[in-house]
Amino acid sequence: MRLIAYLLCTGTLLAATPCLAQEVPASTQETQPDDIIVTGEKSNRTLQETTTSVAVTTPERIRQENILTIQDVYNRTANVSETYGSAGFTIRGINNKGVGAGGDADTATVYVDGAPIPRQALFGGPTDLWDIDQVEILRGPQSTIQGLNALAGAIVLTTRDASVTDYSADGRILWTDRNDRTFSAAAGGPLIRDELGIRLSAERRADRGIIRNVARGGYDDSLRTLNLRAKLHWTPRSLPGLDVKASYNRVRRDGGYLYEYTNLTTPDFYGHRRSTSDQPNRGYIRSDIAVLNVGYEIAPRLRLSSVTSFNRAATLAQTDADGTAADVQFISNDSRYRTWTQELRLNYDGERLSGVLGAWAYRRSGGLDANNRLNIATPVTTIVGLLQRGGFPAAAARQIATAYATALPQIPVRYSADQPLLVKNAALFGDGRLRVTDRLSLLAGFRYDHEDNRYGAETIATFNGTLPSPAAFGAAGTPLNLAVNAINRGVLGLVAQAASARASNARSFDAFLPKAGLSMEWTPDLTTAFTVQRAYRSGGSSQNPARATLVAYDPEYSWNYEGSLRSRWLDGRLTVNANVFYVDWKDQQTTAFFGLNAFDYNTVNAGKSHLYGGELEVQGRLNRVFDAYASAGYVRTKYDRFDLPAGSTSTVNLAGSQFPYAPRWTLAGGINGRVGAIAGNVNANYRSAVFTDVGTAQNQARVSGRTVVNARLGYDAGRWTVFAFARNLLDEDYLQYRTPDGLRGIVGDPQTFGAGLELHL
């Protein structure tokens, strides 16, 4: 925190230096909040007119800070944080997969040009930021506008459009001292001037990696990616008012797993990252996205739009679950999804009334094909009960069970599963504002949402090892020998119980999600607003792996109360925006255990919680040389109740604990400067300590806060720019996760230096 304050103070002092402020070009930060159009709410309002808490990353900022991936944006945004490497993110402390480790629906969705991306592809899918026009992170529920999977918020990426008037070409080469190479290019222009334009872009990245595998050789986190995109833009003269955009995006990724472990037993493991896994830790993504966006201006203030998207994503995630050089456990999850969406919108932008009415249809099909080798801790308590029912005294049963667990501490299982999924969603929605007076506006919205989902499962489980020999415990026919024979049969029975023939559950859900609020424009430069809205996450069915049964669970709901401030000061040179919120959340989907073994669990509705906090974002032009920006996020999360169903043997009580990966403070700030052709940026981001687990003992799963500083300095000659950059400039050592045994962990990105060359023609 002190570091960010230091950066901003430095910028203020530099701004006061008269000799640097004379006869130099304006600051590189040319985009102001009044110029930024927020598209995520589908009404195309400026940032200052938007009451939702939205953080916008512009092309200027992407270039100034050398931002490469969506994960870089997470780390620079107030009240947003990444989790488990690139596996996911939180918005206002809410994990995009849910906070209770239960349920299948997401709480937040990433969209690329209107196409929703499956969360299984987010660790390396079409979310890199080359040729991206804008990134919007909408914090807080978007259930009225976005509907499906938007209880926590939404992330909207918009790629650069094709021009029908001007030709342009862009290129970039990046190199780092970590043997990471990136080659990017884009070009486009009119095929038919003022009517039809095209833009093509491509990016190729080759990263050697930094986690050396001493068992297999090579690097666990090496990476190869290819991202190709083509866009057409058609504005026919024969149909004035018609605007058609079509795009196709193809991504191929071969790299490390969703997250990569480093052995923490290695001396100086921050500087010497090693792993000993005998099996590959890899993540493969094949993604194809097609989007057709058609708009027609019916009248000067009335517009009809249609957005159609198709997304085909396949991921293969493989990891050595034990992390040792022995061939013990291996996980291989192959997921394939096809997603189709269709949205129709009617936008009206009148002097008093403005807003959108729409209809939405969604279909996602596919599923998971798992082929794993796992070890299950031998259930001593279950064996004791089995022996006591067979007539053994309690003390003798405990002694025999302990001896058996010494001979077979873990039950090796080969487990494969086919889990098909079909989700169909349809909705009607509306969102608008009515100016009652020149200052006071009423805000209102609704969504009627209907979902049908079908979840299926077919599993095969076989014992994958050698059972203890009864003869080692006693001669044939003796009670001890017979007891071990019975235990062996019980172990095989536990494994066999996890196998099941194909079964499926179909569920249907309906939800009405209202929104209401007031907005007051006190002056042309000062507006406040207050809104209340309901958010929703659908229910479904989950498989209990140990019992091979499908168990239904219900939806969860939240009420969200939010206030906002939008303000400009010093003749528009300073912008100060803020949001505060309170969320009341009930029927939360979480995981409950039922006692057979470590895999005897399924999703239940057991949690109730609340959270509150706020975001502050400041941007200012200090003078003609410098501009500065800063953001701060604060959130408090807490489980109020945790009521498990009868029969649950879960020992973890979530009541009183905080959400995992919900940092209390997230701070970020930066300074841009330009003198002649020399342009530079220094930025820093801070995340306070987080818990990587839940429950009253979560202090044992705490990782400390960290501050990361980045910088870029370049010579901009107009058509070309050469620059140097540093990531984690001060070489901050930090962990994102530590395994319960403390032997392995996810280590934060190291200090990295690099250089680049950009061309803009």
Side-chain angles (χ1 to χ4, degrees):
M1 289 186 287
R2 291 193 297 268
L3 179 58
I4 294 174
Y6 170 77
L7 288 172
L8 297 180
C9 290
T10 301
T12 304
L13 291 174
L14 290 171
T17 306
C19 63
L20 290 177
Q22 296 176 0
E23 296 184 4
V24 294
S27 167
T28 57
Q29 182 72 22
E30 297 176 354
T31 302
Q32 295 298 308
D34 282 339
D35 304 322
I36 296 172
I37 302 298
V38 176
T39 63
E41 291 195 318
K42 304 178 182 179
S43 289
N44 292 349
R45 299 188 181 103
T46 69
L47 182 61
Q48 292 304 98
E49 294 172 331
T50 303
T51 61
T52 296
S53 179
V54 54
V56 179
T57 303
T58 63
E60 291 86 357
R61 186 173 177 186
I62 290 173
R63 187 183 180 196
Q64 289 159 355
E65 296 191 14
N66 200 43
I67 299 174
L68 302 180
T69 68
I70 191 65
Q71 286 78 27
D72 291 337
V73 177
Y74 299 158
N75 291 327
R76 291 163 165 82
T77 303
N79 272 343
V80 180
S81 177
E82 64 178 341
T83 65
Y84 290 96
S86 301
F89 58 91
T90 64
I91 298 179
R92 291 179 169 176
I94 302 174
N95 193 306
N96 67 302
K97 303 176 185 177
V99 298
D104 190 71
D106 295 337
T107 62
T109 301
V110 176
Y111 296 86
V112 177
D113 285 338
I117 307 303
R119 72 165 181 256
Q120 291 83 358
L122 289 181
F123 68 94
T127 54
D128 288 350
L129 302 186
W130 170 248
D131 217 37
I132 291 291
D133 194 49
Q134 189 160 286
V135 181
E136 302 171 19
I137 298 184
L138 293 97
R139 294 168 292 216
Q142 301 301 307
S143 294
T144 301
I145 295 296
Q146 303 290 354
L148 187 69
N149 303 334
L151 182 145
I155 299 178
V156 178
L157 279 70
T158 305
T159 63
R160 185 172 170 181
D161 281 335
S163 174
V164 298
T165 58
D166 300 309
Y167 295 98
S168 66
D170 303 277
R172 183 182 65 186
I173 299 174
L174 295 176
W175 168 90
T176 77
D177 62 342
R178 302 285 179 177
N179 286 307
D180 186 359
R181 311 285 187 269
T182 303
F183 303 91
S184 312
L191 297 174
I192 304 174
R193 187 168 293 277
D194 297 325
E195 254 192 283
L196 180 64
I198 188 172
R199 186 167 182 84
L200 304 174
S201 69
E203 182 171 77
R204 178 72 174 178
R205 183 180 179 188
D207 184 358
R208 184 201 66 183
I210 57 176
I211 302 177
R212 176 73 175 172
N213 190 302
V214 296
R216 298 173 52 249
Y219 292 83
D220 279 354
D221 57 336
S222 62
L223 179 66
R224 299 289 186 274
T225 66
L226 177 64
N227 192 334
L228 304 174
R229 184 182 302 117
K231 298 193 76 173
L232 289 172
H233 188 186
W234 184 40
T235 57
R237 291 192 185 97
S238 58
L239 290 172
L242 180 65
D243 188 276
V244 180
K245 299 174 184 177
S247 65
Y248 171 72
N249 193 182
R250 181 182 181 89
V251 173
R252 298 295 181 262
R253 189 241 196 218
D254 176 2
Y257 189 62
L258 287 73
Y259 44 85
E260 292 291 344
Y261 284 132
T262 295
N263 287 4
L264 303 186
T265 56
T266 303
D268 185 22
F269 58 83
Y270 287 108
H272 300 85
R273 305 186 185 203
R274 301 286 185 267
S275 74
T276 55
S277 58
D278 68 294
Q279 296 290 336
N281 296 287
R282 308 299 291 167
Y284 306 89
I285 292 178
R286 306 290 183 268
S287 175
D288 295 273
I289 303 170
V291 180
L292 178 64
N293 190 325
V294 181
Y296 182 67
E297 190 173 345
I298 300 173
R301 296 182 179 273
L302 188 64
R303 183 176 181 82
L304 179 66
S305 301
S306 168
V307 181
T308 307
S309 77
F310 175 77
N311 178 7
R312 179 177 59 195
T315 66
L316 177 61
Q318 298 179 323
T319 186
D320 187 334
D322 58 279
T324 68
D327 186 10
V328 180
Q329 299 186 82
F330 182 60
I331 292 176
S332 178
N333 291 325
D334 187 354
S335 62
R336 298 175 184 272
Y337 294 95
R338 290 173 179 259
T339 307
W340 170 85
T341 69
Q342 175 62 57
E343 185 173 76
L344 294 174
R345 299 196 302 264
L346 185 66
N347 287 80
Y348 180 72
D349 188 16
E351 293 184 1
R352 290 291 180 181
L353 176 65
S354 63
V356 59
L357 287 173
W360 156 272
Y362 168 102
R363 187 182 192 275
R364 174 169 290 171
S365 61
L368 172 68
D369 183 8
N371 188 4
N372 305 326
R373 288 184 287 111
L374 304 170
N375 286 343
I376 304 172
T378 300
V380 174
T381 302
T382 301
I383 294 173
V384 169
L386 174 68
L387 293 172
Q388 284 186 286
R389 288 192 295 274
F392 283 86
R398 171 64 61 177
Q399 184 178 6
I400 295 170
T402 301
Y404 186 92
T406 301
L408 185 71
Q410 294 181 317
I411 302 172
V413 178
R414 182 176 291 276
Y415 180 85
S416 61
D418 180 19
Q419 299 175 347
L421 174 70
L422 174 63
V423 178
K424 294 188 289 186
N425 183 269
L428 298 174
F429 64 91
D431 189 88
R433 61 177 63 190
L434 174 66
R435 283 186 174 272
V436 180
T437 70
D438 289 342
R439 294 186 177 183
L440 179 65
S441 297
L442 301 180
L443 310 176
F446 77 93
R447 190 178 191 95
Y448 176 75
D449 194 275
H450 175 80
E451 179 176 316
D452 295 311
N453 64 48
R454 179 180 291 275
Y455 178 87
E458 179 181 13
T459 59
I460 299 173
T462 57
F463 184 77
N464 194 41
T466 303
L467 292 168
S469 172
F473 290 81
T478 63
L480 197 55
N481 182 285
L482 295 174
V484 173
N485 266 306
I487 296 171
N488 283 344
R489 290 193 298 271
V491 167
L492 294 177
L494 282 175
V495 174
Q497 192 172 3
S500 71
R502 181 175 293 274
S504 65
N505 274 2
R507 309 288 309 283
S508 294
F509 305 97
D510 292 279
F512 181 70
L513 308 172
K515 171 186 173 181
L518 294 171
S519 175
M520 185 68 180
E521 186 178 322
W522 303 97
T523 72
D525 292 328
L526 178 63
T527 303
T528 59
F530 179 78
T531 57
V532 180
Q533 64 177 310
R534 192 187 196 203
Y536 159 79
R537 185 187 185 205
S538 66
S541 302
S542 70
Q543 185 190 35
N544 183 306
R547 301 173 188 265
T549 56
L550 292 175
V551 182
Y553 57 89
D554 294 326
E556 55 187 29
Y557 295 90
S558 68
W559 280 102
N560 306 266
Y561 309 87
E562 183 148 352
S564 68
L565 167 74
R566 301 291 179 266
S567 66
R568 290 167 298 205
W569 308 85
L570 304 177
D571 295 326
R573 296 194 306 275
L574 175 66
T575 301
V576 179
N577 294 337
N579 282 68
V580 294
F581 62 89
Y582 180 89
V583 178
D584 186 18
W585 197 353
K586 68 177 183 178
D587 297 327
Q588 287 172 287
Q589 299 158 9
T590 188
T591 296
F593 289 82
F594 294 91
L596 285 180
N597 52 54
F599 290 87
D600 187 12
Y601 61 84
N602 52 259
T603 299
V604 298
N605 296 89
K608 183 183 184 305
S609 64
H610 74 276
L611 56 147
Y612 62 87
E615 297 92 26
L616 173 67
E617 296 186 322
V618 180
Q619 177 179 315
R621 292 177 176 174
L622 303 178
N623 57 25
R624 289 174 56 84
V625 178
F626 296 101
D627 65 73
Y629 50 95
S631 65
Y634 176 81
V635 65
R636 291 293 300 269
T637 64
K638 182 181 179 182
Y639 278 98
D640 300 314
R641 292 205 316 266
F642 191 62
D643 303 319
L644 290 170
S648 172
T649 59
S650 296
T651 58
V652 176
N653 185 358
L654 301 188
S657 69
Q658 299 179 35
F659 296 173
Y661 283 99
R664 190 164 297 182
W665 285 101
T666 47
L667 308 177
I671 301 171
N672 296 307
R674 183 178 182 118
V675 179
I678 305 297
N681 169 276
V682 179
N683 65 85
N685 61 84
Y686 168 81
R687 187 188 74 181
S688 63
V690 297
F691 300 112
T692 62
D693 204 350
V694 289
T696 53
Q698 64 181 182
N699 279 321
Q700 300 174 13
R702 180 181 183 274
V703 294
S704 301
R706 86 292 184 278
T707 300
V708 176
V709 181
N710 311 291
R712 182 184 190 270
L713 181 65
Y715 180 85
D716 186 353
R719 290 183 177 270
W720 59 270
T721 302
V722 61
F723 59 93
F725 62 90
R727 301 167 70 89
N728 194 3
L729 176 64
L730 302 184
D731 201 15
E732 175 91 344
D733 293 335
Y734 63 98
L735 287 175
Q736 293 194 54
Y737 176 75
R738 181 188 295 107
T739 57
D741 59 14
L743 300 180
R744 295 183 296 160
I746 302 173
V747 183
D749 291 338
Q751 182 187 65
T752 301
F753 295 101
L757 172 66
E758 290 181 352
L759 298 175
H760 302 284
L761 305 175

